[in-house]
Amino acid sequence: MNRVATVVASAILALSGSCFAQLAGETPAIQNHLNQTDIEQGRIRFNQLRDLGQTLFEAKFNILDGRGRPFFTGGNAPRETEGPAFLRTSGPDANSCMGCHNEPRSGGGGEFVANVFVLAQTLDPVTDSVAPEFSNERNTLGMMGAGPIEMLAREMTAELHAIRDEARTTAQQTGEIQTRALLAKGVSFGFISVLPDGKIDPTAIEGIDWDLIVKPFHQKGAVVSIREFTNNAMNHHHGMQTVERFGANTDPDGDGVMNELTVGDVTAATIYQAALNTPVQVKPNSPAKRRQVEWGEQLFNDIGCTQCHIPSFTLENRHFVEPNPYNPAGNLRQQDVAALYSFDLTADGEKPRLERGRNGTAIIRPFTDLKRHDICDDELNHFENEQITQGRLNGFAPDSDFTIVAPPRPVEQFLTRKLWDVGNSAPYGHRGDLSTISEAIFWHGGDARAQRDAFLLRTPTEQTAIVEFLKTLQIVPPKNN
């Protein structure tokens, strides 16, 4: 920080009484904060809560709100040296959530210019380098359909936990090792073996943390819920600390502002994202083009792409329920609330919504398996550019639960990309450095090498049909409720 900036910052922090009261004519971007109790007791209607969440999502926070974290890292640790007001790499790096999530509208993704530098926010002192040894550069993804995706992950997690718990009970009763296939919604996550003492042999678990919690957010599959994502991002990107993460009436970042975002604020921002509309297929009007797209969809299945990009699942519960029962500490959990908040994913929020199924179910069409894969090999390694591990294989479960200590999460594995918005969510690849769908397909290796090769063996006419099919999967403008 230069001398002038330091003097200004010091003067601001020295202001007494009501923080920043001497900034005449200025007001916080968010002047009224939400009470979680009002939400739980139904005093705020769904549409009002969603609208308030949109206001928070689109607000350009300023120093009166508490924007900035001069003495705090984006990784929730005190700084040894004062950090900058803004820095593109280590952050804070954005005025608002919508600053990056804006394509094709609020809640969407971002161009290459909106890339984030994951894990640079933990560094002290900060770095202004974008070199891969300091951070993992990733493209901003859209949040459309995030509510249904979180509920899909929860139901898959519940299935996996039921398998693990049954195996543990049987192992303890019989005194014999129990091995079970880990299948959730038809997706294989390998196998689990449980010893008679209750410990887990995790060596055959695939594509998921050893706690068997499906984490559908971040391209590494590292974040459980929209709420956890929001708590992380508010501190990382804006320097806005949430009460549920950092405590009430505290000022961990040393900017002179306390209670920057309430529990109710985070709930509203979560509900806004969860209620964004769902990507859909936009079929062409031309009969000839429609036949081409239908053919391309069949070819997409024939060459094996749907083994990982699974077209559809059934949700047993069509409601989004907040908070998530698998939230880690530092995020609101179900035991923290007097009443859960829920809304119907098929009846509430922006249209188009999920398709309603029978007996309280809903149909979700995300084209993913919510599993981590390595799609690189010795010849095709475009996606193998990251060097820093994000998290551990066992998430936040203690190593003592397992027969071996958890190694770091592999850097070469990424969550299967949801394709339900691929038609208008360019650029592609986790770094956003591929400009076309065909490029993204070409660089699939490793676990997807056979499918990539099968695509290249098809005629140009067949390849075109597949790409034209994928282009019909889009984020669409919200329809009137």
Side-chain angles (χ1 to χ4, degrees):
M1 180 179 290
N2 63 43
R3 183 177 181 277
V4 173
T6 300
V7 170
V8 171
S10 298
I12 290 173
L13 290 172
L15 293 174
S16 58
S18 178
C19 191
F20 311 127
Q22 296 180 31
L23 296 179
E26 304 291 350
T27 59
I30 303 298
Q31 299 185 47
N32 298 302
H33 295 271
L34 290 169
N35 188 315
Q36 178 67 19
T37 301
D38 289 338
I39 298 172
E40 294 174 22
Q41 295 183 356
R43 289 194 284 268
I44 302 177
R45 293 177 299 176
F46 169 78
N47 286 343
Q48 182 184 10
L49 184 63
R50 181 193 61 185
D51 291 347
L52 290 168
Q54 182 173 1
T55 297
L56 284 158
F57 192 89
E58 297 177 358
K60 293 185 178 180
F61 299 114
N62 62 51
I63 56 175
L64 297 167
D65 296 289
R67 194 274 304 150
R69 43 179 170 79
F71 299 102
F72 211 55
T73 72
N76 310 339
R79 285 196 179 282
E80 294 292 330
T81 56
E82 185 176 354
F86 275 110
L87 187 64
R88 188 67 188 85
T89 49
S90 294
D93 55 3
N95 298 96
S96 72
C97 301
M98 188 179 171
C100 294
H101 292 276
N102 55 35
E103 293 254 340
R105 57 187 175 84
S106 174
E111 294 188 28
F112 188 83
V113 70
N115 280 8
V116 297
F117 300 91
V118 178
L119 299 177
Q121 77 275 12
T122 66
L123 300 178
D124 184 29
V126 299
T127 180
D128 58 6
S129 173
V130 298
E133 59 263 35
F134 296 107
S135 64
N136 297 324
E137 184 180 1
R138 298 192 195 145
N139 189 233
T140 300
L141 301 185
M143 299 301 290
M144 276 70 179
I149 285 293
E150 180 170 334
M151 295 310 299
L152 174 62
R154 291 192 209 182
E155 291 191 3
M156 294 174 77
T157 297
E159 290 185 30
L160 294 173
H161 282 191
I163 294 168
R164 178 198 62 193
D165 295 346
E166 181 278 326
R168 177 177 279 132
T169 298
T170 303
Q172 292 172 336
Q173 290 175 345
T174 63
E176 298 177 351
I177 296 175
Q178 300 294 313
T179 299
R180 300 287 186 275
L182 290 170
L183 289 173
K185 302 286 187 183
V187 177
S188 172
F189 291 93
F191 296 85
I192 188 172
S193 294
V194 185
L195 281 61
D197 63 2
K199 284 195 172 185
I200 295 170
D201 177 355
T203 53
I205 295 175
E206 299 176 354
I208 189 174
D209 288 346
W210 292 355
D211 57 12
L212 301 182
I213 295 177
V214 178
K215 302 177 178 71
F217 303 111
H218 271 227
Q219 298 194 58
K220 281 290 186 185
V223 172
V224 170
S225 63
I226 300 170
R227 188 175 204 103
E228 183 186 6
F229 172 82
T230 300
N231 278 310
N232 293 347
M234 286 296 184
N235 182 51
H236 174 177
H237 299 298
H238 315 307
M240 295 287 292
Q241 288 76 48
T242 62
V243 168
E244 68 192 74
R245 175 67 58 85
F246 301 101
N249 303 319
T250 63
D251 182 22
D253 61 343
D255 64 2
V257 181
M258 296 187 291
N259 305 324
E260 294 176 3
L261 289 170
T262 66
V263 177
D265 291 339
V266 179
T267 296
T270 298
I271 295 303
Y272 167 65
Q273 294 170 84
L276 288 165
N277 69 359
T278 301
V280 294
Q281 184 176 25
V282 180
K283 293 186 177 181
N285 294 324
S286 163
K289 290 288 291 184
R290 186 180 289 256
R291 287 193 296 271
Q292 180 190 40
V293 165
E294 291 171 350
W295 183 38
E297 183 174 10
Q298 182 59 54
L299 290 169
F300 185 77
N301 177 72
D302 291 347
I303 65 176
C305 295
T306 55
Q307 292 176 24
C308 295
H309 295 287
I310 298 175
S312 67
F313 297 90
T314 298
L315 289 178
E316 297 304 319
N317 182 356
R318 64 174 184 254
H319 292 84
F320 181 86
V321 181
E322 180 63 19
N324 190 314
Y326 305 108
N327 275 345
N331 303 276
L332 191 72
R333 293 184 286 186
Q334 292 194 351
Q335 61 265 36
D336 301 325
V337 300
L340 301 176
Y341 184 88
S342 69
F343 69 90
D344 191 332
L345 290 164
T346 67
D348 301 313
E350 294 180 347
K351 294 179 181 178
R353 307 178 183 124
L354 290 189
E355 174 187 339
R356 182 171 294 197
R358 297 181 177 179
N359 302 318
T361 63
I363 310 302
I364 177 174
R365 306 181 190 279
F367 288 89
T368 181
D369 57 4
L370 294 185
K371 178 180 176 180
R372 290 196 295 266
H373 294 272
D374 178 4
I375 58 171
C376 290
D377 52 43
D378 291 340
E379 183 182 4
L380 297 166
N381 55 14
H382 179 83
F383 298 116
E384 203 169 69
N385 67 304
E386 296 193 351
Q387 299 179 19
I388 305 175
T389 57
Q390 182 183 8
R392 295 172 65 84
L393 271 170
N394 66 331
F396 49 82
D399 290 337
S400 59
D401 288 349
F402 306 101
T403 57
I404 59 175
V405 175
R409 187 179 286 137
V411 295
E412 68 273 8
Q413 289 187 358
F414 290 88
L415 201 67
T416 300
R417 188 70 167 262
K418 300 179 292 292
L419 295 185
W420 59 357
D421 63 354
V422 69
N424 60 350
S425 63
Y428 306 109
H430 62 264
R431 189 169 171 264
D433 54 1
L434 301 174
S435 59
T436 65
I437 293 172
S438 295
E439 289 174 89
I441 296 173
F442 176 85
W443 286 112
H444 276 56
D447 293 351
R449 182 61 184 263
Q451 290 79 5
R452 175 262 191 192
D453 290 348
F455 174 81
L456 293 181
L457 287 173
R458 294 287 177 164
T459 67
T461 302
E462 291 172 318
Q463 292 176 11
T464 298
I466 293 172
V467 171
E468 289 300 318
F469 156 64
L470 292 171
K471 287 181 178 179
T472 66
L473 306 178
Q474 299 179 14
I475 295 170
V476 296
K479 298 179 181 179
N480 293 330
N481 292 332

